[in-house]
């Protein structure tokens, strides 16, 4: 499950959603995987404003990944300026593509900081179905 | 006891979720052509839009527009495994009445051929409310707020081979026939599988029978004209646009 997904996931329990502690979910005993994909500069630039940056920094820190820049990169940070040539992805863009779109959780848990419920990730598929007593 | 008395979550687990999990691979092999209204809705989104596909199935609609980011979800793990292969999107296993998304975090949502599987009016309205709850509220960044496209099977489809039409029973069980030991789609003039001979087939019954076929029944609530719009209003939404497309009612809605 690619890490970008975590930017749009929280606890499935309704009463948790109003609590700031339910976002982001916290990885537990996670095994990571890399699934390479083509870098799409326009796509990366377009989703930048939607990233919850400090929460993403928390997730990457908890996973032991290299630290993200302290503040969210700008659209300009994503491009290597080269006169008269097509736009080339900067190292920042490559790093971001690597961590958000190519790095994923293969096995492990995702824990709600509000209620403590752990959701399982198996073979890269996160399962958010709730057991009967929590519905 | 009538069906209506026992409908609800457990009923859907048996008559919808279990069936899709079992027929996932076969179902997926028959689901690849997007409906035009859905395709148009997804293609017209601004680049970089973020959305949810509730009941994404095999991810047919995740393949339409790679310039947006969609988080798909479905109850069937087998279907999600197929859906998550569509880059750059994502897919998770979730229940459409208990979605694992922050409130109001998406620019758009689609719910295609999903709400008609819920077996009581209250649960169908709750499912629509769950979709509307995902959408961004109007703000400076997004003056209109988010919008959702909902698509359900129509009662009025007398041109279809099923022949349903107005005035008929709206709560129906629809068969899904799977031939070939649960693996092969039903097809005409099927070639024999390797190692399969005439003698391998049971000889009892009619020679026209399909001994390997298995029929699954799925529950559907067939929507009659105006009912989808009514349910959306009940769920706290406003219908922006709606219509009928090939045996289905559809509506584009936003939060009130
Ligand atoms: Zn929780």
């Amino acid at each position: 499950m690619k890490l970008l997904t975590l930017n749009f996931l929280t606890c499935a329990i309704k009463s948790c959603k109003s609590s700031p502690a339910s976002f982001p979910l916290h990885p537990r005993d996670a095994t990571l995987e890399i699934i390479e994909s083509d870098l799409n500069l326009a796509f990366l630039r377009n989703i930048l404003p939607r990233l919850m940056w400090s929460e993403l920094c928390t997730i990457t820190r908890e996973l032991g990944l290299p630290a993200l820049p302290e503040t969210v990169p700008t659209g300009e940070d994503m491009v290597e300026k080269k006169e008269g040539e097509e736009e080339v992805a900067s190292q920042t863009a490559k790093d971001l593509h690597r961590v958000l779109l190519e790095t994923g959780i293969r096995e492990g848990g995702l824990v709600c900081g509000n209620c403590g419920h752990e959701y399982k990730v198996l073979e890269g598929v996160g399962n958010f179905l709730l057991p009967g007593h929590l519905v | 006891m009538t069906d209506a008395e026992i409908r609800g979550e457990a009923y859907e687990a048996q008559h919808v979720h279990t069936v899709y999990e079992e027929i996932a691979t076969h179902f997926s092999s028959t689901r690849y052509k997007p409906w035009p209204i859905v395709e148009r809705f997804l293609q017209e989104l601004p680049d970089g839009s973020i959305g949810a596909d509730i009941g994404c199935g095999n991810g047919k609609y995740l393949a339409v527009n790679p310039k947006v980011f969609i988080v798909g979800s479905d109850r069937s793990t087998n279907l999600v495994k197929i859906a998550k292969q569509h880059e750059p999107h994502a897919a998770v296993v979730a229940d459409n009445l208990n979605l694992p998304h922050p409130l109001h975090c998406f620019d758009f949502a689609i719910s295609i051929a999903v709400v008609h599987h819920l077996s009581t009016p209250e649960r169908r309205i709750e499912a629509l409310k769950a979709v509307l709850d995902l959408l961004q509220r109007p703000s400076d960044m997004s003056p209109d707020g988010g919008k959702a496209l909902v698509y359900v099977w129509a009662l009025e489809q007398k041109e279809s081979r099923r022949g349903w039409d107005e005035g008929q029973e709206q709560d129906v069980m629809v068969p899904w026939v799977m031939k070939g030991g649960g693996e092969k789609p039903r097809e005409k003039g099927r070639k024999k599988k390797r190692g399969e001979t005439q003698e391998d087939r049971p000889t009892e019954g009619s020679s026209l029978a399909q001994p390997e076929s298995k029929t699954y029944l799925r529950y559907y609530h067939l929507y009659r004209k105006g009912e989808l719009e009514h349910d959306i209003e009940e769920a706290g939404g406003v219908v922006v646009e709606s219509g009928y497309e090939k045996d289905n009612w559809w509506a584009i809605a936003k939060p009130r």
Side-chain angles (χ1 to χ4, degrees):
Chain A
M1 190 175 74
K2 60 181 63 120
L3 297 190
L4 177 58
T5 321
L6 291 174
N7 195 69
F8 306 101
L9 288 175
T10 184
C11 188
I13 297 170
K14 288 189 179 76
S15 56
C16 281
K17 289 184 188 184
S18 55
S19 160
S22 65
F23 182 85
L25 297 173
H26 301 281
R28 178 185 284 166
D29 301 329
T31 308
L32 298 182
E33 64 181 347
I34 301 281
I35 300 174
E36 294 194 338
S37 60
D38 293 335
L39 186 152
N40 181 338
L41 202 49
F43 178 83
L44 271 181
R45 255 196 309 229
N46 282 327
I47 61 165
L48 276 179
R50 305 305 296 279
L51 300 177
M52 307 295 280
W53 193 255
S54 68
E55 287 83 354
L56 278 177
C57 291
T58 302
I59 292 165
T60 53
R61 193 173 57 243
E62 288 174 354
L63 288 170
L65 291 165
L68 292 171
E70 268 175 38
T71 53
V72 59
T74 64
E76 284 154 32
D77 294 338
M78 308 299 273
V79 188
E80 203 76 72
K81 277 279 175 280
K82 284 196 178 164
E83 294 283 327
E85 283 178 44
E86 253 186 65
E87 285 186 336
V88 175
S90 65
Q91 192 56 46
T92 305
K94 289 176 187 166
D95 291 346
L96 207 54
H97 176 71
R98 186 68 161 183
V99 69
L100 291 180
L101 290 148
E102 293 188 324
T103 307
I105 297 176
R106 175 151 188 87
E107 309 283 343
L110 290 168
V111 180
C112 170
N114 190 53
C115 71
H117 186 68
E118 181 182 310
Y119 299 93
K120 289 287 181 199
V121 181
L122 290 171
E123 296 178 52
V125 177
N127 188 321
F128 293 87
L129 297 179
L130 293 169
H133 68 279
L134 288 179
V135 174
Chain B
M1 186 159 34
T2 67
D3 266 4
E5 286 173 81
I6 52 162
R7 281 197 193 120
E9 194 184 345
Y11 181 87
E12 290 152 20
Q14 184 185 352
H15 297 292
V16 179
H17 309 148
T18 308
V19 177
Y20 276 109
E21 191 70 356
E22 299 219 355
I23 69 176
T25 312
H26 178 208
F27 175 81
S28 180
S29 71
T30 65
R31 292 294 185 281
Y32 48 86
K33 202 171 175 329
W35 275 313
I37 295 280
V38 189
E39 195 168 19
R40 193 197 73 191
F41 179 85
L42 292 172
Q43 293 290 11
E44 287 177 358
L45 295 163
D47 292 356
S49 296
I50 310 285
D53 181 352
I54 306 307
C56 66
N58 67 351
K60 172 169 64 161
Y61 294 108
L62 302 187
V64 172
N65 186 349
K67 293 177 177 170
V68 302
F69 181 68
I70 302 177
V71 183
S73 61
D74 202 279
R75 289 249 2 171
S76 163
T77 305
N78 288 337
L79 286 172
V80 168
K81 281 180 184 167
I82 302 168
K84 73 187 281 288
Q85 295 165 14
H86 295 287
E87 296 289 348
H89 311 291
V92 298
V93 176
D95 182 89
N96 64 342
L97 299 183
N98 296 282
L99 291 167
H101 305 299
L103 297 170
H104 319 317
C105 80
F106 292 110
D107 302 307
F108 69 95
I110 61 173
S111 165
I112 310 302
V114 175
V115 177
H116 56 211
H117 281 312
L118 289 142
S119 58
T120 68
E122 295 75 24
R123 289 170 68 79
R124 290 191 285 276
I125 290 165
E126 195 185 338
L128 290 166
K129 184 175 181 302
V131 171
L132 292 165
D133 280 346
L134 299 173
L135 300 174
Q136 285 209 326
R137 295 318 191 231
S139 68
D140 291 345
M141 259 182 76
S142 161
D144 292 331
K147 58 182 177 176
L149 173 63
V150 182
Y151 217 94
V152 289
W153 228 3
L155 176 63
E156 299 84 353
Q157 44 173 305
K158 58 171 178 260
E159 305 303 320
S160 84
R161 68 190 163 87
R162 303 186 196 275
W164 294 308
D165 203 0
E166 58 179 296
Q168 287 181 290
E169 172 61 42
Q170 286 181 261
D171 295 290
V172 297
M173 301 302 289
V174 180
W176 180 273
V177 180
M178 197 154 65
K179 193 168 184 275
E183 295 293 332
K184 290 284 278 189
R186 179 183 199 169
E187 51 186 283
K188 285 181 189 136
R190 181 177 68 100
K191 289 198 182 83
K192 278 181 195 167
K193 281 186 286 189
R194 209 183 328 162
E196 181 186 68
T197 67
Q198 213 57 37
E199 286 72 32
D200 287 331
R201 300 179 175 205
T203 50
E204 283 175 16
S206 156
S207 61
L208 293 172
Q210 297 170 337
E212 297 170 37
S213 75
K214 184 165 179 189
T215 300
Y216 296 87
L217 291 173
R218 289 167 299 162
Y219 167 84
Y220 279 86
H221 175 79
L222 303 171
Y223 270 75
R224 60 179 147 61
K225 185 176 187 185
E227 189 177 2
L228 177 59
E229 290 88 336
H230 169 269
D231 283 4
I232 287 170
E233 304 259 329
E234 285 288 305
V238 176
V239 176
V240 179
E241 203 184 338
S242 63
Y244 179 90
E245 182 183 56
K246 207 177 179 311
D247 307 333
N248 291 275
W249 294 110
W250 60 269
I252 295 173
K254 62 179 189 179
R256 187 150 52 218

